[in-house]
Amino acid sequence: MLSSSLMLRRFCCLCTAASSSSSPAPASSRTLPSTKKRLVFLGSPQVSAFVLDSLFNASSAPDSLFEIAAIVTQPPSGRDRGRKLMPSPVAQHAVERGFPSELIFTPAKAGEESFLSSFKVLEPELCITAAYGNILPTKFLKLPSMGTVNIHPSLLPLYRGAAPVQRALQDGVRETGVSLAYTVRQLDAGPVIACEKVEIDDYIKATELLELLFARGSQLLIRELPSIFDGSAKAKAVAQDESKATLAPKITPEESWLSFDQDARILHNKVRAFAGWPGTRAKVSVLDPKSGQHNIIELKIITTRVYGNNEIRSGQMDDIFFAKGSLIVPCGGGTALEVLEVQLPGKKVVNATAFWNGLRGQKLRKL
């Protein structure tokens, strides 16, 4: 991606070249200035690319009220095993859709002076954010004349912060949703323009729920854009009730470990919540009954459910056994967790049956 200063020089050169033309075009062939609102999109991961795609489609409609003037996303980062520097999914999608690369900004921080100078030249009227992953300082928020609107995957003021979907699933909620809110300096605390509730079951994972909520959020945004552009959205936006606010702090890799001393439902919710990244892990002991030797292995727990039969066989509270295609792990409070899919380090995800057969008669025990 081009640096902000280089993009600014290109933009200014184009403007200078256009204004210094010695022989202006005939009036009949001149292009009239666009009356469409200048919208800037900020987002980074794949779920943000879904939102951007909706905006691209809406902006290309004959009666569209806006054009996408620029895109702001996280800088290229090392992904996959090779750790090769790759542009964000949003940047990749924008280029694939034919969006000019010189209008894709990738500042390390949104408060960089070189970036803000380039951004100001664009004269943005409205900014839309969706999982951008960068704090927007006050000097940025002052630039778009119509403000900045965020798609947030929770029912604000619940679950403000970096991991709203993950923390909601970890808490075992049965209802969540997506909110469209104005961005203010305080984290996710701006007035709410609109929201949509979503009922969820006990099995949906964070990766699936994120896609669902941002898809709903895209529809909500397209529906509300006319009111945002004509100013009526600000009049109807509702201030959040601070007394009901809850936080959804960023997840750390250290949280990924499972403790089988906890209730099985707590563990199941954690597996769903941490799916994708950082995942959930557990250490178990593999015992060879013939030699008496045992090894400790690390398992990534991919898919689970709460075991319906609460009667764990006597004397096997530390033993992990196999039943009807699942590994049954005794947990705290007399509960048990069914593990349906696992992954060994450096290996592919396999179902519990394949993993159990691979043990070749060896036994599993909790640590």
Side-chain angles (χ1 to χ4, degrees):
M1 296 299 168
L2 299 175
S3 67
S4 298
S5 58
L6 179 54
M7 284 188 281
L8 177 59
R9 290 199 296 274
R10 280 195 177 187
F11 186 83
C12 291
C13 288
L14 288 171
C15 294
T16 304
S19 62
S20 61
S21 176
S22 57
S23 51
S28 60
S29 65
R30 291 176 194 165
T31 302
L32 293 174
S34 173
T35 58
K36 293 185 176 183
K37 305 297 184 184
R38 297 177 61 76
L39 182 150
V40 175
F41 177 75
L42 298 91
S44 299
Q46 186 58 50
V47 289
S48 305
F50 298 151
V51 181
L52 177 59
D53 202 50
S54 296
L55 288 171
F56 274 140
N57 294 338
S59 68
S60 63
D63 58 347
S64 173
L65 299 173
F66 70 96
E67 61 185 4
I68 300 177
I71 292 168
V72 184
T73 188
Q74 292 279 31
S77 61
R79 300 207 301 273
D80 302 324
R81 290 186 181 179
R83 304 304 295 170
K84 180 181 177 181
L85 282 180
M86 297 285 290
S88 74
V90 159
Q92 283 183 297
H93 185 71
V95 171
E96 288 169 1
R97 287 288 304 248
F99 192 79
S101 60
E102 63 267 23
L103 294 177
I104 301 175
F105 293 71
T106 59
K109 293 184 178 181
E112 291 178 2
E113 290 302 328
S114 59
F115 163 66
L116 290 175
S117 297
S118 304
F119 189 67
K120 189 174 183 180
V121 169
L122 293 171
E123 297 181 346
E125 293 176 87
L126 176 68
C127 288
I128 299 295
T129 61
Y132 170 44
N134 209 330
I135 295 174
L136 300 178
T138 301
K139 51 188 174 181
F140 175 96
L141 296 175
K142 288 181 178 179
L143 292 178
S145 57
M146 294 181 174
T148 297
V149 172
N150 181 44
I151 297 176
H152 187 76
S154 81
L155 296 173
L156 291 172
L158 302 179
Y159 298 105
R160 294 176 179 175
V165 168
Q166 294 89 336
R167 297 304 184 187
L169 287 179
Q170 191 176 7
D171 288 346
V173 302
R174 299 302 298 269
E175 180 184 81
T176 184
V178 61
S179 302
L180 206 59
Y182 283 104
T183 300
V184 295
R185 192 66 185 90
Q186 185 183 349
L187 183 65
D188 298 324
V192 176
I193 300 168
C195 65
E196 183 175 329
K197 294 180 179 180
V198 176
E199 298 290 332
I200 57 175
D201 59 31
D202 286 337
Y203 301 103
I204 193 167
K205 296 179 180 180
T207 46
E208 301 161 340
L209 186 53
L210 275 165
E211 288 188 13
L212 173 62
L213 293 180
F214 276 103
R216 297 284 184 89
S218 300
Q219 297 168 2
L220 194 62
L221 172 65
I222 300 303
R223 194 161 66 239
E224 292 293 336
L225 273 177
S227 70
I228 295 171
F229 287 136
D230 68 23
S232 60
K234 281 199 172 179
K236 73 173 183 178
V238 178
Q240 296 185 38
D241 185 345
E242 291 295 324
S243 67
K244 296 180 179 179
T246 61
L247 297 179
K250 184 178 179 180
I251 294 169
T252 65
E254 292 74 25
E255 292 181 79
S256 66
W257 291 102
L258 297 180
S259 171
F260 294 121
D261 292 336
Q262 292 184 301
D263 186 280
R265 184 160 297 280
I266 292 175
L267 298 177
H268 171 62
N269 288 337
K270 189 173 183 178
V271 171
R272 297 192 298 138
F274 290 15
W277 191 91
T280 44
R281 299 175 291 167
K283 288 184 178 180
V284 297
S285 176
V286 180
L287 174 66
D288 186 336
K290 294 180 180 179
S291 66
Q293 294 183 339
H294 68 90
N295 295 312
I296 295 174
I297 62 171
E298 179 184 314
L299 278 180
K300 195 168 185 179
I301 310 298
I302 306 297
T303 304
T304 59
R305 63 184 173 216
V306 177
Y307 187 48
N309 184 354
N310 290 328
E311 295 182 8
I312 303 299
R313 286 176 286 183
S314 177
Q316 292 192 337
M317 287 307 295
D318 291 328
D319 291 340
I320 299 172
F321 60 94
F322 182 78
K324 297 181 179 179
S326 301
L327 299 173
I328 311 299
V329 186
C331 300
T335 62
L337 186 70
E338 284 191 60
V339 178
L340 307 177
E341 291 181 307
V342 298
Q343 184 179 19
L344 286 165
K347 303 294 184 179
K348 294 182 179 179
V349 174
V350 297
N351 61 36
T353 300
F355 175 76
W356 186 261
N357 290 339
L359 291 174
R360 301 181 183 278
Q362 298 179 99
K363 295 184 176 181
L364 288 180
R365 302 202 79 189
K366 297 189 310 179
L367 289 180

